[in-house]
Amino acid sequence: MKRFAQGSAAGMSTLLLWAAPLLIIAGLSAGFVTQRWNWLPLSLLSLGGIALLLWLIQQSRVSSGFWGRRSTQTSTNALLTVIAVIALLGIVNFLADRYTLEIDLTENRAFTLAPETRDVLQNLDQPVRVLVFDPNAASRDRLLLEQYRRQANNQFSFEFIDPQEQPALAKKYNVTQVGQVIVVAGKKTQRIDENLSESNLTPALIRVTSDRPIRAYFTTGHNELPLIGGAASLSEVAKLLEQRDVQLQPLNLLEKGKIPEDANVIVVAGPRQPFLRLEQDLLKEYLNRGGSLLLMLDVDVNAGLEDLLKNWGLTLDNRWVIDGSGVGQQVGLGPDTIIVSTYGNHPITQRFAQGPSVFPRAQAIRVDPVKDDNIVEIALSGPQTWAETEWKSGNLEFTEGVDTKGPLPIGVAITRQLSNNPPKEARLVVFGDSEFATDGVIAYQGINSDLFVNSVLWLGDRDQKALSIRPRETTNRRLQLNVTTSRWIEMISVFLLPLVGFGSAVFVWWRRR
C-alpha cells in the first residue's frame, strides 16, 4: 500500500512538472500572437502557475532537503532547458506570424501586388473594409486580401460573411447573390460583382477613398468616336475610366459656347470634321488657363487644330507609319499596323516595361520643342518603321531620301508651366491615331487600354494614384500529346520503369549472394 502511494505521488509530480511550463508557454504564445489577452491566454497562464505551485509544495512536503539535492539541481536545469526551448519556439512562431517572407516564383508574378496597389495601400488615410459575401470563398481570395492587409498599415480589413446568417447586412448593401464583394470606406461603398482580383479591387479602393472625381468631357459634333457601340467605339476604355471614378460627359462646344468650369480633362477622340474657329479658340483658352487636353488625330483628316498644335511645338506628319519588321504580320496584322514597345519615361508609361501596344494606320508627330516646355515622347515606333509618303497609292516600300526612317513618335505628352506662385500648369497629350483605343483594337490584348486610361488620369492630375492595373494572365503551359506518344509514355511508366527497377534489384541480390 505504501509503494502504491509513493508511485502515485511520483506520477503526479511528473505530471505537474511537465504541465506547468507547457501551460505557461501556451498562454504567453496565445497572448502575443493574437495580441488579445482575453480569457484563453489568462486561463492557460493561471493553470500553469497553479500547476507549478502545486509541484513545489509537493516536493517541499516530501523532503525538507529537496532544494539541496544534486538531483534537484539537475532536474531544475532540465526544466529550465525545456522552458527555454519552448519559449524559443514560441518566439519563432511569433516572429513568423508578424514578419512573413514570401517568394513569388510564378512566371507572371501572379501572387505579387503591383507597385500601383502598394502605393494606394500605403497612402490610405482612412479605414477600408472589404466584405466578401461568401463563407466558402476560394483560398486565392483569402491570400489576396491578406496581402492587401499587410501592406495597408492597419487601415485595411476584410471579412467573409454568410448572407444566409446575416440577412440584415446583405440587405443593407443590396447583396443579391453569393460571391459579391462590397468595399466600404466611411459612407461610400463600391460593389464588385465579378471574381475578386487585384485589377478590380484596387480601383474600388481608389473610388471609395477619393475626395473628388475626375470629370472628363468628350467633344461631339465632329463625328468623333462614340463612347458606346461596337468595335469602333470607346466603350471598353470608358468602362475602365468609370471604374476609377472618372465621370464621362459629352461636350458640344458650339451649343455650350464655353468649356464647363468643372472640366478636368477635354478629350478629342478621332474627329472627322474640322473644329470651327470658335471651338478652336475655346480649346486654346482652356489650355492657357491651366487645362488638360487629350487629342487623338488620324491621318488625312483636317481637324482644324493645326494652330493649337503649332503653339505647343507639334506638327502632324500626315503619313502612315509602316512596319517593315514583319512582327505584326505574324499575328495577322498588316504592315500599316505598328506594334509599339518603346515608351518614354513619363507617369503615363512608367509601369509599362516592354509591353506591346498596337496602332493601326497611325501617323508620326513632329516635335519642335517650345522653350521651357517639358516634352516626352511617350510612344515610339520601332527602328524598322518609316513614314510612307506614297501610302495612298498602296506602294508600301521604303524610299531613301523620301520616306522618314523610324523610330518615330506616335504619342507625345507636354507639360507647360504657366505660373510658379501659385503653381499652375497646362497639360497636353497627342496621339497620331484614334483607333488604338477602340474596342476592336483592344481585343489584341496589348496595353492600349492602359495607355489611354493612364493618359486621362494623368491629365486629370491623378499621376500619384494607381493608374491602370491589368489582370494577371496565366500562360497556358499544357503539353498537347497525340495518341501514339501518350501510349508510349503510358507503357514506359507502367511497364518499363518498374521492370528496370525490379531487374536492378535482382542483379544486386545476385551479385551479393
PDB file of all heavy atoms in Angstrom, residues 265-294:
ATOM      1  N   VAL A 265     -10.576  67.307 -67.732  1.00  0.00           N
ATOM      2  CA  VAL A 265      -9.942  66.836 -68.960  1.00  0.00           C
ATOM      3  C   VAL A 265     -10.914  67.031 -70.124  1.00  0.00           C
ATOM      4  O   VAL A 265     -12.116  66.767 -69.976  1.00  0.00           O
ATOM      5  CB  VAL A 265      -9.559  65.342 -68.873  1.00  0.00           C
ATOM      6  CG1 VAL A 265      -8.791  64.921 -70.132  1.00  0.00           C
ATOM      7  CG2 VAL A 265      -8.733  65.062 -67.634  1.00  0.00           C
ATOM      8  N   ILE A 266     -10.392  67.476 -71.262  1.00  0.00           N
ATOM      9  CA  ILE A 266     -11.157  67.509 -72.503  1.00  0.00           C
ATOM     10  C   ILE A 266     -10.532  66.483 -73.448  1.00  0.00           C
ATOM     11  O   ILE A 266      -9.308  66.472 -73.652  1.00  0.00           O
ATOM     12  CB  ILE A 266     -11.136  68.898 -73.161  1.00  0.00           C
ATOM     13  CG1 ILE A 266     -11.693  69.953 -72.205  1.00  0.00           C
ATOM     14  CG2 ILE A 266     -11.943  68.887 -74.461  1.00  0.00           C
ATOM     15  CD1 ILE A 266     -13.153  69.755 -71.854  1.00  0.00           C
ATOM     16  N   VAL A 267     -11.366  65.604 -74.022  1.00  0.00           N
ATOM     17  CA  VAL A 267     -10.885  64.551 -74.912  1.00  0.00           C
ATOM     18  C   VAL A 267     -11.461  64.785 -76.303  1.00  0.00           C
ATOM     19  O   VAL A 267     -12.683  64.898 -76.465  1.00  0.00           O
ATOM     20  CB  VAL A 267     -11.283  63.153 -74.401  1.00  0.00           C
ATOM     21  CG1 VAL A 267     -10.757  62.078 -75.356  1.00  0.00           C
ATOM     22  CG2 VAL A 267     -10.755  62.926 -72.992  1.00  0.00           C
ATOM     23  N   VAL A 268     -10.595  64.854 -77.287  1.00  0.00           N
ATOM     24  CA  VAL A 268     -10.993  64.946 -78.691  1.00  0.00           C
ATOM     25  C   VAL A 268     -10.574  63.632 -79.335  1.00  0.00           C
ATOM     26  O   VAL A 268      -9.396  63.405 -79.612  1.00  0.00           O
ATOM     27  CB  VAL A 268     -10.322  66.145 -79.387  1.00  0.00           C
ATOM     28  CG1 VAL A 268     -10.737  66.193 -80.854  1.00  0.00           C
ATOM     29  CG2 VAL A 268     -10.678  67.451 -78.677  1.00  0.00           C
ATOM     30  N   ALA A 269     -11.540  62.741 -79.568  1.00  0.00           N
ATOM     31  CA  ALA A 269     -11.256  61.362 -79.981  1.00  0.00           C
ATOM     32  C   ALA A 269     -11.641  61.124 -81.436  1.00  0.00           C
ATOM     33  O   ALA A 269     -12.796  60.850 -81.758  1.00  0.00           O
ATOM     34  CB  ALA A 269     -12.005  60.374 -79.075  1.00  0.00           C
ATOM     35  N   GLY A 270     -10.694  61.262 -82.332  1.00  0.00           N
ATOM     36  CA  GLY A 270     -10.878  60.901 -83.725  1.00  0.00           C
ATOM     37  C   GLY A 270     -11.915  61.698 -84.481  1.00  0.00           C
ATOM     38  O   GLY A 270     -12.807  61.103 -85.099  1.00  0.00           O
ATOM     39  N   PRO A 271     -11.846  63.032 -84.484  1.00  0.00           N
ATOM     40  CA  PRO A 271     -12.825  63.814 -85.258  1.00  0.00           C
ATOM     41  C   PRO A 271     -12.646  63.593 -86.753  1.00  0.00           C
ATOM     42  O   PRO A 271     -11.534  63.388 -87.237  1.00  0.00           O
ATOM     43  CB  PRO A 271     -12.525  65.255 -84.847  1.00  0.00           C
ATOM     44  CG  PRO A 271     -11.074  65.232 -84.481  1.00  0.00           C
ATOM     45  CD  PRO A 271     -10.838  63.889 -83.844  1.00  0.00           C
ATOM     46  N   ARG A 272     -13.750  63.646 -87.487  1.00  0.00           N
ATOM     47  CA  ARG A 272     -13.719  63.508 -88.948  1.00  0.00           C
ATOM     48  C   ARG A 272     -14.073  64.812 -89.653  1.00  0.00           C
ATOM     49  O   ARG A 272     -13.982  64.912 -90.868  1.00  0.00           O
ATOM     50  CB  ARG A 272     -14.693  62.411 -89.386  1.00  0.00           C
ATOM     51  CG  ARG A 272     -14.303  61.017 -88.944  1.00  0.00           C
ATOM     52  CD  ARG A 272     -13.024  60.573 -89.640  1.00  0.00           C
ATOM     53  NE  ARG A 272     -12.628  59.219 -89.267  1.00  0.00           N
ATOM     54  CZ  ARG A 272     -11.787  58.937 -88.292  1.00  0.00           C
ATOM     55  NH1 ARG A 272     -11.272  59.925 -87.557  1.00  0.00           N
ATOM     56  NH2 ARG A 272     -11.446  57.693 -88.018  1.00  0.00           N
ATOM     57  N   GLN A 273     -14.463  65.806 -88.881  1.00  0.00           N
ATOM     58  CA  GLN A 273     -14.804  67.118 -89.433  1.00  0.00           C
ATOM     59  C   GLN A 273     -14.042  68.182 -88.653  1.00  0.00           C
ATOM     60  O   GLN A 273     -13.727  67.999 -87.468  1.00  0.00           O
ATOM     61  CB  GLN A 273     -16.311  67.362 -89.342  1.00  0.00           C
ATOM     62  CG  GLN A 273     -17.135  66.362 -90.134  1.00  0.00           C
ATOM     63  CD  GLN A 273     -18.621  66.508 -89.887  1.00  0.00           C
ATOM     64  OE1 GLN A 273     -19.053  67.362 -89.118  1.00  0.00           O
ATOM     65  NE2 GLN A 273     -19.407  65.656 -90.541  1.00  0.00           N
ATOM     66  N   PRO A 274     -13.716  69.310 -89.280  1.00  0.00           N
ATOM     67  CA  PRO A 274     -12.872  70.317 -88.619  1.00  0.00           C
ATOM     68  C   PRO A 274     -13.605  71.083 -87.523  1.00  0.00           C
ATOM     69  O   PRO A 274     -14.828  71.284 -87.593  1.00  0.00           O
ATOM     70  CB  PRO A 274     -12.468  71.241 -89.776  1.00  0.00           C
ATOM     71  CG  PRO A 274     -13.569  71.084 -90.770  1.00  0.00           C
ATOM     72  CD  PRO A 274     -14.022  69.660 -90.669  1.00  0.00           C
ATOM     73  N   PHE A 275     -12.852  71.485 -86.520  1.00  0.00           N
ATOM     74  CA  PHE A 275     -13.369  72.383 -85.489  1.00  0.00           C
ATOM     75  C   PHE A 275     -13.433  73.797 -86.052  1.00  0.00           C
ATOM     76  O   PHE A 275     -12.502  74.244 -86.745  1.00  0.00           O
ATOM     77  CB  PHE A 275     -12.455  72.365 -84.260  1.00  0.00           C
ATOM     78  CG  PHE A 275     -12.628  71.146 -83.397  1.00  0.00           C
ATOM     79  CD1 PHE A 275     -12.193  69.899 -83.825  1.00  0.00           C
ATOM     80  CD2 PHE A 275     -13.225  71.249 -82.154  1.00  0.00           C
ATOM     81  CE1 PHE A 275     -12.340  68.774 -83.032  1.00  0.00           C
ATOM     82  CE2 PHE A 275     -13.383  70.135 -81.339  1.00  0.00           C
ATOM     83  CZ  PHE A 275     -12.951  68.895 -81.781  1.00  0.00           C
ATOM     84  N   LEU A 276     -14.515  74.494 -85.747  1.00  0.00           N
ATOM     85  CA  LEU A 276     -14.666  75.872 -86.209  1.00  0.00           C
ATOM     86  C   LEU A 276     -13.806  76.804 -85.366  1.00  0.00           C
ATOM     87  O   LEU A 276     -13.278  76.435 -84.324  1.00  0.00           O
ATOM     88  CB  LEU A 276     -16.140  76.284 -86.145  1.00  0.00           C
ATOM     89  CG  LEU A 276     -17.099  75.422 -86.990  1.00  0.00           C
ATOM     90  CD1 LEU A 276     -18.523  75.930 -86.835  1.00  0.00           C
ATOM     91  CD2 LEU A 276     -16.673  75.409 -88.453  1.00  0.00           C
ATOM     92  N   ARG A 277     -13.652  78.044 -85.848  1.00  0.00           N
ATOM     93  CA  ARG A 277     -12.782  78.996 -85.176  1.00  0.00           C
ATOM     94  C   ARG A 277     -13.182  79.205 -83.716  1.00  0.00           C
ATOM     95  O   ARG A 277     -12.322  79.276 -82.837  1.00  0.00           O
ATOM     96  CB  ARG A 277     -12.823  80.329 -85.932  1.00  0.00           C
ATOM     97  CG  ARG A 277     -12.026  81.458 -85.287  1.00  0.00           C
ATOM     98  CD  ARG A 277     -10.541  81.110 -85.146  1.00  0.00           C
ATOM     99  NE  ARG A 277      -9.937  80.858 -86.447  1.00  0.00           N
ATOM    100  CZ  ARG A 277      -8.665  80.500 -86.607  1.00  0.00           C
ATOM    101  NH1 ARG A 277      -7.895  80.278 -85.552  1.00  0.00           N
ATOM    102  NH2 ARG A 277      -8.175  80.298 -87.827  1.00  0.00           N
ATOM    103  N   LEU A 278     -14.484  79.306 -83.445  1.00  0.00           N
ATOM    104  CA  LEU A 278     -14.938  79.494 -82.063  1.00  0.00           C
ATOM    105  C   LEU A 278     -14.498  78.329 -81.185  1.00  0.00           C
ATOM    106  O   LEU A 278     -14.009  78.523 -80.060  1.00  0.00           O
ATOM    107  CB  LEU A 278     -16.462  79.638 -82.035  1.00  0.00           C
ATOM    108  CG  LEU A 278     -17.096  79.647 -80.633  1.00  0.00           C
ATOM    109  CD1 LEU A 278     -16.609  80.838 -79.829  1.00  0.00           C
ATOM    110  CD2 LEU A 278     -18.628  79.643 -80.733  1.00  0.00           C
ATOM    111  N   GLU A 279     -14.631  77.114 -81.704  1.00  0.00           N
ATOM    112  CA  GLU A 279     -14.251  75.936 -80.933  1.00  0.00           C
ATOM    113  C   GLU A 279     -12.744  75.884 -80.716  1.00  0.00           C
ATOM    114  O   GLU A 279     -12.256  75.537 -79.624  1.00  0.00           O
ATOM    115  CB  GLU A 279     -14.725  74.676 -81.650  1.00  0.00           C
ATOM    116  CG  GLU A 279     -16.234  74.593 -81.819  1.00  0.00           C
ATOM    117  CD  GLU A 279     -16.666  73.428 -82.699  1.00  0.00           C
ATOM    118  OE1 GLU A 279     -16.165  73.351 -83.841  1.00  0.00           O
ATOM    119  OE2 GLU A 279     -17.485  72.619 -82.229  1.00  0.00           O
ATOM    120  N   GLN A 280     -11.987  76.263 -81.750  1.00  0.00           N
ATOM    121  CA  GLN A 280     -10.529  76.285 -81.603  1.00  0.00           C
ATOM    122  C   GLN A 280     -10.112  77.283 -80.525  1.00  0.00           C
ATOM    123  O   GLN A 280      -9.244  76.985 -79.688  1.00  0.00           O
ATOM    124  CB  GLN A 280      -9.874  76.654 -82.937  1.00  0.00           C
ATOM    125  CG  GLN A 280     -10.143  75.679 -84.065  1.00  0.00           C
ATOM    126  CD  GLN A 280      -9.577  76.181 -85.382  1.00  0.00           C
ATOM    127  OE1 GLN A 280      -8.560  76.873 -85.429  1.00  0.00           O
ATOM    128  NE2 GLN A 280     -10.252  75.847 -86.471  1.00  0.00           N
ATOM    129  N   ASP A 281     -10.730  78.439 -80.513  1.00  0.00           N
ATOM    130  CA  ASP A 281     -10.382  79.467 -79.529  1.00  0.00           C
ATOM    131  C   ASP A 281     -10.738  79.004 -78.120  1.00  0.00           C
ATOM    132  O   ASP A 281     -10.000  79.310 -77.161  1.00  0.00           O
ATOM    133  CB  ASP A 281     -11.103  80.776 -79.851  1.00  0.00           C
ATOM    134  CG  ASP A 281     -10.597  81.419 -81.143  1.00  0.00           C
ATOM    135  OD1 ASP A 281      -9.476  81.066 -81.573  1.00  0.00           O
ATOM    136  OD2 ASP A 281     -11.338  82.243 -81.720  1.00  0.00           O
ATOM    137  N   LEU A 282     -11.849  78.302 -77.981  1.00  0.00           N
ATOM    138  CA  LEU A 282     -12.232  77.803 -76.655  1.00  0.00           C
ATOM    139  C   LEU A 282     -11.205  76.806 -76.124  1.00  0.00           C
ATOM    140  O   LEU A 282     -10.845  76.838 -74.941  1.00  0.00           O
ATOM    141  CB  LEU A 282     -13.617  77.163 -76.712  1.00  0.00           C
ATOM    142  CG  LEU A 282     -14.809  78.099 -76.891  1.00  0.00           C
ATOM    143  CD1 LEU A 282     -16.100  77.298 -77.071  1.00  0.00           C
ATOM    144  CD2 LEU A 282     -14.937  79.039 -75.696  1.00  0.00           C
ATOM    145  N   LEU A 283     -10.719  75.918 -76.991  1.00  0.00           N
ATOM    146  CA  LEU A 283      -9.719  74.941 -76.560  1.00  0.00           C
ATOM    147  C   LEU A 283      -8.393  75.628 -76.224  1.00  0.00           C
ATOM    148  O   LEU A 283      -7.728  75.264 -75.239  1.00  0.00           O
ATOM    149  CB  LEU A 283      -9.513  73.888 -77.657  1.00  0.00           C
ATOM    150  CG  LEU A 283     -10.689  72.945 -77.920  1.00  0.00           C
ATOM    151  CD1 LEU A 283     -10.385  72.001 -79.083  1.00  0.00           C
ATOM    152  CD2 LEU A 283     -11.027  72.129 -76.674  1.00  0.00           C
ATOM    153  N   LYS A 284      -7.995  76.612 -77.032  1.00  0.00           N
ATOM    154  CA  LYS A 284      -6.757  77.348 -76.737  1.00  0.00           C
ATOM    155  C   LYS A 284      -6.861  78.078 -75.402  1.00  0.00           C
ATOM    156  O   LYS A 284      -5.932  78.054 -74.579  1.00  0.00           O
ATOM    157  CB  LYS A 284      -6.467  78.345 -77.854  1.00  0.00           C
ATOM    158  CG  LYS A 284      -6.090  77.728 -79.187  1.00  0.00           C
ATOM    159  CD  LYS A 284      -5.858  78.828 -80.224  1.00  0.00           C
ATOM    160  CE  LYS A 284      -5.563  78.233 -81.590  1.00  0.00           C
ATOM    161  NZ  LYS A 284      -5.382  79.301 -82.616  1.00  0.00           N
ATOM    162  N   GLU A 285      -7.995  78.746 -75.183  1.00  0.00           N
ATOM    163  CA  GLU A 285      -8.195  79.480 -73.933  1.00  0.00           C
ATOM    164  C   GLU A 285      -8.198  78.532 -72.738  1.00  0.00           C
ATOM    165  O   GLU A 285      -7.652  78.844 -71.669  1.00  0.00           O
ATOM    166  CB  GLU A 285      -9.511  80.252 -74.002  1.00  0.00           C
ATOM    167  CG  GLU A 285      -9.818  81.060 -72.747  1.00  0.00           C
ATOM    168  CD  GLU A 285     -11.195  81.683 -72.796  1.00  0.00           C
ATOM    169  OE1 GLU A 285     -11.879  81.532 -73.840  1.00  0.00           O
ATOM    170  OE2 GLU A 285     -11.594  82.282 -71.792  1.00  0.00           O
ATOM    171  N   TYR A 286      -8.789  77.353 -72.936  1.00  0.00           N
ATOM    172  CA  TYR A 286      -8.838  76.358 -71.860  1.00  0.00           C
ATOM    173  C   TYR A 286      -7.423  75.924 -71.463  1.00  0.00           C
ATOM    174  O   TYR A 286      -7.098  75.827 -70.268  1.00  0.00           O
ATOM    175  CB  TYR A 286      -9.661  75.162 -72.331  1.00  0.00           C
ATOM    176  CG  TYR A 286      -9.648  73.987 -71.394  1.00  0.00           C
ATOM    177  CD1 TYR A 286     -10.256  74.045 -70.154  1.00  0.00           C
ATOM    178  CD2 TYR A 286      -9.016  72.797 -71.763  1.00  0.00           C
ATOM    179  CE1 TYR A 286     -10.248  72.949 -69.296  1.00  0.00           C
ATOM    180  CE2 TYR A 286      -9.005  71.698 -70.918  1.00  0.00           C
ATOM    181  CZ  TYR A 286      -9.625  71.785 -69.684  1.00  0.00           C
ATOM    182  OH  TYR A 286      -9.605  70.703 -68.839  1.00  0.00           O
ATOM    183  N   LEU A 287      -6.560  75.692 -72.443  1.00  0.00           N
ATOM    184  CA  LEU A 287      -5.181  75.319 -72.139  1.00  0.00           C
ATOM    185  C   LEU A 287      -4.423  76.484 -71.499  1.00  0.00           C
ATOM    186  O   LEU A 287      -3.626  76.285 -70.570  1.00  0.00           O
ATOM    187  CB  LEU A 287      -4.460  74.871 -73.413  1.00  0.00           C
ATOM    188  CG  LEU A 287      -4.807  73.480 -73.952  1.00  0.00           C
ATOM    189  CD1 LEU A 287      -4.112  73.251 -75.285  1.00  0.00           C
ATOM    190  CD2 LEU A 287      -4.404  72.403 -72.957  1.00  0.00           C
ATOM    191  N   ASN A 288      -4.666  77.700 -71.960  1.00  0.00           N
ATOM    192  CA  ASN A 288      -3.937  78.850 -71.436  1.00  0.00           C
ATOM    193  C   ASN A 288      -4.271  79.147 -69.982  1.00  0.00           C
ATOM    194  O   ASN A 288      -3.480  79.811 -69.291  1.00  0.00           O
ATOM    195  CB  ASN A 288      -4.224  80.095 -72.296  1.00  0.00           C
ATOM    196  CG  ASN A 288      -3.611  79.997 -73.681  1.00  0.00           C
ATOM    197  OD1 ASN A 288      -2.616  79.300 -73.883  1.00  0.00           O
ATOM    198  ND2 ASN A 288      -4.201  80.695 -74.644  1.00  0.00           N
ATOM    199  N   ARG A 289      -5.407  78.686 -69.506  1.00  0.00           N
ATOM    200  CA  ARG A 289      -5.731  78.909 -68.096  1.00  0.00           C
ATOM    201  C   ARG A 289      -5.444  77.678 -67.230  1.00  0.00           C
ATOM    202  O   ARG A 289      -5.900  77.597 -66.085  1.00  0.00           O
ATOM    203  CB  ARG A 289      -7.183  79.355 -67.948  1.00  0.00           C
ATOM    204  CG  ARG A 289      -8.242  78.335 -68.297  1.00  0.00           C
ATOM    205  CD  ARG A 289      -9.631  78.854 -67.868  1.00  0.00           C
ATOM    206  NE  ARG A 289     -10.663  77.858 -68.017  1.00  0.00           N
ATOM    207  CZ  ARG A 289     -11.519  77.786 -69.008  1.00  0.00           C
ATOM    208  NH1 ARG A 289     -11.446  78.686 -69.991  1.00  0.00           N
ATOM    209  NH2 ARG A 289     -12.442  76.843 -69.058  1.00  0.00           N
ATOM    210  N   GLY A 290      -4.691  76.717 -67.790  1.00  0.00           N
ATOM    211  CA  GLY A 290      -4.255  75.583 -66.981  1.00  0.00           C
ATOM    212  C   GLY A 290      -5.067  74.327 -67.175  1.00  0.00           C
ATOM    213  O   GLY A 290      -5.106  73.474 -66.275  1.00  0.00           O
ATOM    214  N   GLY A 291      -5.679  74.153 -68.326  1.00  0.00           N
ATOM    215  CA  GLY A 291      -6.484  72.962 -68.578  1.00  0.00           C
ATOM    216  C   GLY A 291      -5.662  71.780 -69.056  1.00  0.00           C
ATOM    217  O   GLY A 291      -4.439  71.870 -69.236  1.00  0.00           O
ATOM    218  N   SER A 292      -6.346  70.675 -69.286  1.00  0.00           N
ATOM    219  CA  SER A 292      -5.714  69.437 -69.763  1.00  0.00           C
ATOM    220  C   SER A 292      -6.488  68.930 -70.964  1.00  0.00           C
ATOM    221  O   SER A 292      -7.712  68.789 -70.907  1.00  0.00           O
ATOM    222  CB  SER A 292      -5.694  68.375 -68.662  1.00  0.00           C
ATOM    223  OG  SER A 292      -4.907  68.808 -67.562  1.00  0.00           O
ATOM    224  N   LEU A 293      -5.764  68.620 -72.055  1.00  0.00           N
ATOM    225  CA  LEU A 293      -6.407  68.264 -73.319  1.00  0.00           C
ATOM    226  C   LEU A 293      -5.763  67.001 -73.883  1.00  0.00           C
ATOM    227  O   LEU A 293      -4.530  66.879 -73.911  1.00  0.00           O
ATOM    228  CB  LEU A 293      -6.259  69.420 -74.313  1.00  0.00           C
ATOM    229  CG  LEU A 293      -6.840  69.231 -75.715  1.00  0.00           C
ATOM    230  CD1 LEU A 293      -8.351  69.042 -75.651  1.00  0.00           C
ATOM    231  CD2 LEU A 293      -6.493  70.431 -76.596  1.00  0.00           C
ATOM    232  N   LEU A 294      -6.600  66.073 -74.326  1.00  0.00           N
ATOM    233  CA  LEU A 294      -6.150  64.854 -74.993  1.00  0.00           C
ATOM    234  C   LEU A 294      -6.651  64.878 -76.426  1.00  0.00           C
ATOM    235  O   LEU A 294      -7.859  64.933 -76.668  1.00  0.00           O
ATOM    236  CB  LEU A 294      -6.673  63.613 -74.269  1.00  0.00           C
ATOM    237  CG  LEU A 294      -6.458  62.261 -74.963  1.00  0.00           C
ATOM    238  CD1 LEU A 294      -4.968  62.001 -75.187  1.00  0.00           C
ATOM    239  CD2 LEU A 294      -7.085  61.132 -74.159  1.00  0.00           C
TER     240      LEU A 294
END
